[in-house]
């Protein structure tokens, strides 16, 4: 398992380093098939000492956060690029600080800045069963839903078009597709 952006996934697929990839951006290259699996809604996480948390704000227009410092996980430039696109659509260029999750939540705890997170972060343990890393976002941060625009992060699966997958890779590939299909059916 690797964390890569779409360009790195494309290179790894073309160099036969990986059999398939799950990524946030479509890989638009000859011979690569990118199949959308779902879209996951993003929201904002702020520390409990942040003015939005203190005022118990539940939903906000993204433009109202134009002066905020946004913390973004450094390993995913695709996610960072999507966040920049969301902010530009709202009418501003975001101030972004790349950090790892531990630093982000340490700073958020002090009431500084905000982080784009998948809505998934605030769901219960059963809903987070896709990963082994259950984290109760509600204990760590205050959730603020976004509108104008609503922010959805696409998730898709990519592979080389005419390259047969090994038996194990094909099994995992189909299991991942089915898993995302099940999750989408369970969403309200």
């Amino acid at each position: 398992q690797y964390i890569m952006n779409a360009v790195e996934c494309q290179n790894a697929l073309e160099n036969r380093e990986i059999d398939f990839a799950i990524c946030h951006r479509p890989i638009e290259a000859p011979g690569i098939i990118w199949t959308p699996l779902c879209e996951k809604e993003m929201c904002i996480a702020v520390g409990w000492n942040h003015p939005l948390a203190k005022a118990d704000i539940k939903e906000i227009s993204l433009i109202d956060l134009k002066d905020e410092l946004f913390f973004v996980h450094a390993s995913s430039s695709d996610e960072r690029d999507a966040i920049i696109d969301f902010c530009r659509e709202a009418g501003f260029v975001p101030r972004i600080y790349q950090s790892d999750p531990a630093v982000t939540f340490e700073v958020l705890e002090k009431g500084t800045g905000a982080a784009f997170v998948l809505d998934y972060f605030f769901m219960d343990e059963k809903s987070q069963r896709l990963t082994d890393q259950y984290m109760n976002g509600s204990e760590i941060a205050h959730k603020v839903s976004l509108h104008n625009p609503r922010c959805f992060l696409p998730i898709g699966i990519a592979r080389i078009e005419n390259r047969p997958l090994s038996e194990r890779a094909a099994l995992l590939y189909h299991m991942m597709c089915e898993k995302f299909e099940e999750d989408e059916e369970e969403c309200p």
Side-chain angles (χ1 to χ4, degrees):
Q1 172 177 306
Y2 304 96
I3 297 177
M4 299 182 274
N5 62 38
V7 172
E8 293 166 329
C9 287
Q10 177 182 338
N11 291 336
L13 285 166
E14 290 172 343
N15 293 329
R16 297 180 174 263
E17 296 166 12
I18 59 175
D19 293 307
F20 61 89
I22 295 176
C23 46
H24 295 304
R25 294 269 188 192
I27 297 176
E28 297 172 351
I32 294 181
I33 300 169
W34 187 83
T35 305
L37 296 173
C38 65
E39 288 187 329
K40 295 292 184 186
E41 188 164 10
M42 297 193 83
C43 60
I44 295 293
V46 295
W48 290 107
N49 291 320
H50 190 283
L52 292 174
K54 288 182 176 182
D56 199 27
I57 303 295
K58 304 278 189 220
E59 188 172 2
I60 196 167
S61 177
L62 187 52
I63 190 68
D64 293 332
L65 299 172
K66 69 181 183 304
D67 298 321
E68 200 66 65
L69 175 61
F70 293 103
F71 290 85
V72 177
H73 192 276
S75 68
S76 176
S77 65
D78 291 337
E79 189 172 319
R80 182 189 63 239
D81 291 347
I83 290 166
I84 291 169
D85 291 346
F86 297 147
C87 293
R88 285 186 175 152
E89 183 180 340
F92 70 99
V93 176
R95 293 183 311 134
I96 290 180
Y97 180 81
Q98 292 184 343
S99 68
D100 65 65
V103 171
T104 296
F105 291 113
E106 184 178 312
V107 175
L108 291 182
E109 192 175 304
K110 295 176 182 174
T112 303
F116 276 86
V117 296
L118 292 173
D119 189 56
Y120 184 83
F121 175 72
F122 290 98
M123 293 180 178
D124 62 24
E125 188 170 3
K126 181 179 180 244
S127 300
Q128 290 189 26
R129 69 185 178 277
L130 185 61
T131 69
D132 295 339
Q133 301 171 333
Y134 169 63
M135 183 180 282
N136 185 345
S138 299
E139 290 178 4
I140 298 168
H142 175 74
K143 174 186 174 181
V144 182
S145 295
L146 295 167
H147 63 90
N148 293 340
R150 304 265 322 245
C151 301
F152 290 91
L153 190 64
I155 298 174
I157 193 165
R159 65 181 184 86
I160 299 292
E161 187 170 19
N162 294 318
R163 182 185 306 155
L165 297 173
S166 70
E167 187 176 326
R168 286 186 177 169
L171 179 64
L172 183 57
Y173 180 89
H174 292 292
M175 284 174 51
M176 294 303 298
C177 292
E178 289 171 7
K179 172 65 184 143
F180 277 99
E181 193 174 289
E182 285 173 18
D183 283 353
E184 286 302 292
E185 289 171 5
E186 292 176 11
C187 291

